[in-house]
């Protein structure tokens, strides 16, 4: 259930997006990649966030904020596609990425965890677009969906920005190699903190 990696045609698209980001106003490429990745685009925005943050480390957190806003807005778009156009568009997107079986698994997750299942998808390597589309299709609470998306996507992108800001370009290879493990560890810590907080109340 991992995101697509840039190979072949995707690699050319990836390289072209990086080229566009090197131009004036390239930060808007990051924003729009974050928007469309949440519903249809195959390449996660993290790689573009890393490219910009490495180029201008002092603006790493600004780039993370732009990426977060774009991703949450894209998640809302994916929710709307699932809510209004699941039969017409949503199922086609899911079929294109070969996620028909996962669609049923996500349905079971929502029955158990409601929209907070989006939090795991938004932060970990799980395909976020699958969760945004299905959240709309299953008519989950929209406010909870948006809040879970904001928390999870923000945590993910600001973690990447923080690594680059404090450790510099050398950390890029480490992040790319161990990103899945890092996100899972951070998610476990996040859930543990939440459980501890609830226990103390």
């Amino acid at each position: 259930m991992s995101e697509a990696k840039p190979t072949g045609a995707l690699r050319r698209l990836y390289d072209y997006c990086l080229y566009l980001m090197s131009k004036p106003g390239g930060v808007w490429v990051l924003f729009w990649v974050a928007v469309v990745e949440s519903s249809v685009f195959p390449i996660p925005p993290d790689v573009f966030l890393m490219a910009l943050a490495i180029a201008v480390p002092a603006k790493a957190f600004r780039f993370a904020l732009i990426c977060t806003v774009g991703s949450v807005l894209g998640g809302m778009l994916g929710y709307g596609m699932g809510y209004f156009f699941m039969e017409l568009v949503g199922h086609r997107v899911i079929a294109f990425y070969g996620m028909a079986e996962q669609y049923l698994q996500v349905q079971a997750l929502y029955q158990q965890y409601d929209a907070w299942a989006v939090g795991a998808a938004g932060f970990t390597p799980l395909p976020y677009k699958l969760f945004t589309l299905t959240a709309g299709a299953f008519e989950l609470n929209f406010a909870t969906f948006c809040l879970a998306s904001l928390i999870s996507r923000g945590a993910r992108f600001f973690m990447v920005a923080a690594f680059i800001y404090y450790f510099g370009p050398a950390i890029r290879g480490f992040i790319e190699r161990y990103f899945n493990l890092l996100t899972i560890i951070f998610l476990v810590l996040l859930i543990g903190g939440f459980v501890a907080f609830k226990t103390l109340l």
Side-chain angles (χ1 to χ4, degrees):
M1 293 178 66
S2 61
E3 293 281 3
K5 295 181 180 180
T7 57
L10 289 182
R11 178 72 202 194
R12 291 191 292 273
L13 178 60
Y14 167 72
D15 290 337
Y16 182 64
C17 287
L18 288 180
Y19 166 75
L20 291 176
M21 286 199 308
S22 68
K23 303 296 181 181
V27 69
W28 286 104
V29 177
L30 173 66
F31 174 79
W32 287 112
V33 165
V35 170
V36 297
E37 182 271 340
S38 298
S39 53
V40 294
F41 195 63
I43 304 175
D46 309 75
V47 290
F48 304 106
L49 171 60
M50 283 191 288
L52 280 177
I54 287 171
V56 191
K59 295 184 178 180
F61 294 109
R62 176 173 175 265
F63 296 145
L65 177 61
I66 291 170
C67 200
T68 300
V69 172
S71 187
V72 173
L73 290 176
M76 294 179 183
L77 175 64
Y79 183 100
M81 287 172 59
Y83 189 89
F84 295 106
F85 307 109
M86 193 64 190
E87 293 298 325
L88 182 63
V89 179
H91 284 299
R92 294 177 185 270
V93 174
I94 288 174
F96 178 79
Y97 287 105
M99 298 187 296
E101 182 178 343
Q102 288 87 346
Y103 176 80
L104 299 177
Q105 295 173 353
V106 170
Q107 184 176 17
L109 285 175
Y110 281 146
Q111 290 173 348
Q112 185 172 0
Y113 299 107
D114 195 56
W116 289 106
V118 176
F123 186 76
T124 66
L126 296 172
Y128 185 53
K129 59 185 66 62
L130 172 63
F131 281 75
T132 63
L133 290 167
T134 52
F138 300 145
E139 301 183 16
L140 300 186
N141 183 277
F142 183 68
T144 304
F145 166 81
C146 291
L147 180 59
S149 294
L150 179 62
I151 293 173
S152 61
R153 298 305 263 183
R156 172 172 172 156
F157 298 139
F158 274 88
M159 181 187 73
V160 171
F163 269 108
I164 293 174
Y165 182 83
Y166 290 109
F167 297 104
I171 200 66
R172 178 177 184 174
F174 178 82
I175 293 175
E176 289 180 335
R177 185 175 181 181
Y178 297 107
F179 184 79
N180 290 2
L181 177 62
L182 288 171
T183 56
I184 290 172
I185 291 174
F186 195 88
L187 180 65
V188 170
L189 293 174
L190 191 67
I191 294 174
F194 179 74
V195 171
F197 180 74
K198 287 192 66 177
T199 303
L200 292 174
L201 291 180

